[in-house]
Amino acid sequence: MNIADINKSLIGSMSISPVSATEWEIHTGAVFQNGDEIKIYLVNDKNNWHLSDKKNTLKLMNEMYDLKAPDVKSCISAVLRIYGFTIKSGALTANVIDDIHIVSLVYNFIMCIGQLANMYVFFDKPE
């Protein structure tokens, strides 16, 4: 292994594939602790672009936490505030303002998902 090999692996580490005429899946290689792929979608809704996890993060969290518990709700809200993202109808979403910052936004989206999925580190044990 050398820097050229590492560079080859990093180049093109993300890819995108169409799901429909208005939706694309962004493949990042990022995974949850259980090994499931972190799925991120780029959605064009009437020329408004946003990222979505299509409810996958909350589905995973629902298996680990009591999502109605006040401390869990508070932690979720705090993480969302840090990144400026929202949860709409159970889906984590982030508005895409421009294509220049899309890579940074995708990385922040992955970090937000990771922090939400791994909130158990703030509690004595997962609920």
Side-chain angles (χ1 to χ4, degrees):
M1 176 169 57
N2 59 42
I3 195 66
D5 295 332
I6 292 169
N7 191 41
K8 283 180 193 174
S9 294
L10 289 174
I11 291 176
S13 59
M14 276 196 255
S15 64
I16 191 167
S17 61
V19 175
S20 70
T22 60
E23 188 175 297
W24 297 262
E25 184 174 354
I26 301 173
H27 307 277
T28 66
V31 295
F32 289 109
Q33 191 174 18
N34 66 4
D36 289 349
E37 180 182 2
I38 293 176
K39 295 190 177 198
I40 300 173
Y41 299 88
L42 178 63
V43 180
N44 185 343
D45 183 25
K46 299 175 187 165
N47 289 326
N48 293 313
W49 293 88
H50 67 273
L51 298 179
S52 174
D53 74 340
K54 291 180 124 182
K55 304 181 184 182
N56 289 316
T57 305
L58 280 183
K59 286 178 188 174
L60 175 77
M61 291 174 67
N62 193 44
E63 296 172 9
M64 299 174 63
Y65 310 107
D66 175 5
L67 296 179
K68 294 179 182 176
D71 57 346
V72 173
K73 284 182 173 182
S74 175
C75 196
I76 291 170
S77 294
V79 171
L80 294 175
R81 266 193 312 276
I82 289 169
Y83 292 99
F85 300 155
T86 58
I87 293 179
K88 293 180 184 173
S89 301
L92 180 66
T93 63
N95 290 326
V96 178
I97 306 303
D98 58 45
D99 59 338
I100 296 169
H101 299 99
I102 188 73
V103 173
S104 177
L105 184 66
V106 169
Y107 288 148
N108 283 332
F109 205 71
I110 293 167
M111 290 191 315
C112 181
I113 289 170
Q115 286 184 333
L116 290 170
N118 296 313
M119 285 188 328
Y120 64 86
V121 300
F122 299 108
F123 304 110
D124 292 334
K125 62 180 179 175
E127 295 285 324

